Amino acid sequence: MDTLTFGLTLLVVGMGGTLVALATLALLMELLKKIFPHHNSEAK
Amino acid sequence: MFEAIMNGLSGLGAGVAHLQGSNLVMIAVGGVLLYLAIKKDVEPLLLVPIGFGAILVNIPLANLMGEGGFLRTIYNMGIANELFPLLIFIGIGAMTDFGPLLENPKIFLLGAAGQFGIFLTIGLALLFGFDKLDAVTIGVIGACDGPTAIFVASRYAPHLLAAVSVAAYSYMSLVPIIQPPIMRLLTTEKERAINMTERAKKTAPVSKNARIIFPIMVTIFGGLVAPQGLPLIATIMLGNLMRECGVVSRLTKATENEIANVVTLFLGISIGATMDGVAFLTTQTLMILMFGFVAICLDTVCGVLFGKLMCFLTGGRINPLIGAAGISAYPMAARVVQKEGLKHNPSNYLLMHAVGANTGGQIGSVMAAAIMLSVLKGMGIIP
């Protein structure tokens, strides 16, 4: 694989992959907060 | 008899006779690192053992990094097999409160943008003629995360380990100097003054169950998406699970204190031991230091620009300065954002949001490295 293809692939898949992965985690976290909401008793 | 005495005396002076100019320079570099650590309080926990290790390895004929030498033994014990950075990660996970991030999960995106410098720097290093794996290792300095940089370097480019480690830790400590000019350059006075104090009061707290499930969820998700980087993700999340579950406080305390301290000592002295003058004093090292600086600048640029995008999309409710905290340098980057925010609006407390972005950056850096390794595996670059 030539250097240009390698660099561009890593740039696109790497940056895109990181963004999509963390966006998915953010969505999963929102879901988790809905499934396990915080109760006032926990604060006490 | 006289000849025997002369031979004995020549043995005493052999070290001096074998001392090369490069050894002297590196002994001086070790001295500078010790000075920075002891007098200027720059990352002392790491720079003291690194500086001392650099001095030790440049004393000729002691052969401390030769087969059987004590520095080589420590190196083989935890750097050559990537164990030390992973043990450090357990401690980092145990010390990190992901609460501010979990309260506002959208901030995760800033943690991703703060890693873009890694990939841009890899492209630059390739343009400058570096080998593919060397370029990847140099780019990882942009993770602003010492253990990740050491993990990748020791596995794929051990000959760059010393330069990459020194660059990673040096620039992490220079974040308060590197970031503010970039933040001011890319934002307007009005943007910097956006008040997020009220927004902080509105965020709902996270339940204990959600906090416990979070590290397990990240580990499974990260492992499935990027199995090559699972050790990085799993260790930081194991530490965090131990912290949040609250039933293994002895283990949590051990990982954040005793284990982290012992491993930091071994890690530091092993890195110092790789700073042999002949191998370290090259133009390649200077270029790596330069690329490391560029990587952290690019991380900051991408983070702030992404913060501006989020500011625009939310109708001006997000202060773009918090984007700068999307890098993994925790908690320095968050403190820098808080300080800059206060300069432009004395009633604006950005710290909680910045800490959220900063912890997002910690997960982002390991996730970015994990994804990169899996992409490399997919392309057949690594086995």
Side-chain angles (χ1 to χ4, degrees):
Chain A
M1 181 185 292
D2 68 286
T3 306
L4 183 69
T5 313
F6 172 75
L8 286 175
T9 308
L10 210 54
L11 196 70
V12 173
V13 183
M15 278 166 59
T18 305
L19 192 62
V20 171
L22 292 201
T24 311
L25 276 179
L27 287 174
L28 288 173
M29 197 55 226
E30 292 283 8
L31 190 69
L32 200 61
K33 281 167 70 179
K34 286 200 167 42
I35 299 170
F36 299 102
H38 181 265
H39 298 293
N40 287 337
S41 56
E42 285 188 49
K44 286 171 195 168
Chain B
M1 177 71 183
F2 178 74
E3 195 181 330
I5 291 171
M6 288 310 289
N7 285 342
L9 286 175
S10 71
L12 285 180
V16 179
H18 283 82
L19 199 61
Q20 295 179 15
S22 59
N23 295 131
L24 285 172
V25 173
M26 289 312 294
I27 288 172
V29 169
V32 170
L33 294 178
L34 288 176
Y35 171 79
L36 289 173
I38 296 165
K39 289 288 178 190
K40 301 290 177 187
D41 202 31
V42 177
E43 298 280 342
L45 290 176
L46 272 159
L47 288 196
V48 167
I50 290 178
F52 202 75
I55 292 173
L56 284 182
V57 81
N58 282 287
I59 295 175
L61 305 181
N63 206 26
L64 299 182
M65 270 301 265
E67 217 41 59
F70 96 94
L71 291 178
R72 172 61 66 185
T73 305
I74 298 173
Y75 182 90
N76 288 343
M77 203 166 71
I79 297 282
N81 56 16
E82 306 117 33
L83 180 66
F84 288 162
L86 298 178
L87 290 176
I88 292 278
F89 259 144
I90 302 178
I92 291 175
M95 286 180 231
T96 306
D97 177 11
F98 287 109
L101 174 69
L102 304 184
E103 285 170 17
N104 188 7
K106 289 184 195 73
I107 287 182
F108 248 132
L109 295 175
L110 293 172
Q115 313 309 319
F116 288 174
I118 298 175
F119 301 101
L120 295 169
T121 308
I122 291 172
L124 280 176
L126 287 170
L127 281 178
F128 275 78
F130 277 93
D131 164 60
K132 287 170 186 161
L133 286 180
D134 287 1
V136 164
T137 305
I138 293 166
V140 171
I141 300 172
C144 249
D145 180 345
T148 301
I150 294 166
F151 179 86
V152 174
S154 55
R155 182 178 280 195
Y156 300 112
H159 55 289
L160 302 183
L161 178 66
V164 166
S165 312
V166 169
Y169 281 107
S170 309
Y171 292 134
M172 263 166 63
S173 61
L174 291 177
V175 158
I177 298 165
I178 297 172
Q179 286 201 312
I182 300 172
M183 291 156 76
R184 286 194 285 268
L185 189 72
L186 295 176
T187 52
T188 63
E189 183 69 38
K190 192 180 162 192
E191 285 172 336
R192 290 194 289 272
I194 292 174
N195 197 317
M196 293 182 73
T197 312
E198 284 305 311
R199 195 176 167 82
K201 287 176 189 164
K202 284 179 193 164
T203 51
V206 183
S207 68
K208 187 174 171 64
N209 284 339
R211 280 172 175 264
I212 292 172
I213 294 171
F214 173 73
I216 302 168
M217 187 183 78
V218 173
T219 305
I220 295 171
F221 175 80
L224 291 174
V225 172
Q228 295 299 312
L230 185 59
L232 294 169
I233 301 166
T235 44
I236 197 167
M237 288 300 135
L238 169 64
N240 192 249
L241 175 64
M242 292 197 302
R243 173 198 171 93
E244 296 299 344
C245 72
V247 293
V248 285
S249 57
R250 277 169 53 194
L251 296 184
T252 312
K253 280 180 191 155
T255 50
E256 55 184 18
N257 295 303
E258 291 86 356
I259 295 174
N261 290 341
V262 171
V263 174
T264 300
L265 170 64
F266 287 164
L267 186 76
I269 203 162
S270 309
I271 292 168
T274 59
M275 294 169 73
D276 175 63
V278 178
F280 192 81
L281 288 178
T282 60
T283 47
Q284 192 182 50
T285 302
L286 284 177
M287 288 180 79
I288 291 170
L289 294 175
M290 183 194 75
F291 279 122
F293 178 75
V294 170
I296 290 172
C297 290
L298 287 172
D299 281 341
T300 309
V301 168
C302 294
V304 175
L305 290 179
F306 205 87
K308 280 171 83 85
L309 178 68
M310 286 179 81
C311 175
F312 173 74
L313 294 175
T314 56
R317 283 186 294 170
I318 287 184
N319 189 319
L321 288 181
I322 63 168
I327 66 171
S328 179
Y330 179 83
M332 284 89 82
R335 282 192 201 136
V336 170
V337 170
Q338 162 74 353
K339 210 171 152 189
E340 280 299 307
L342 280 177
K343 271 186 200 167
H344 301 280
N345 183 347
S347 64
N348 194 6
Y349 288 88
L350 297 173
L351 190 62
M352 196 185 148
H353 301 287
V355 167
N358 214 180
T359 49
Q362 282 197 303
I363 296 177
S365 67
V366 291
M367 194 61 86
I371 285 174
M372 191 172 64
L373 296 180
S374 291
V375 173
L376 290 175
K377 165 99 176 163
M379 288 194 285
I381 306 289
I382 57 173

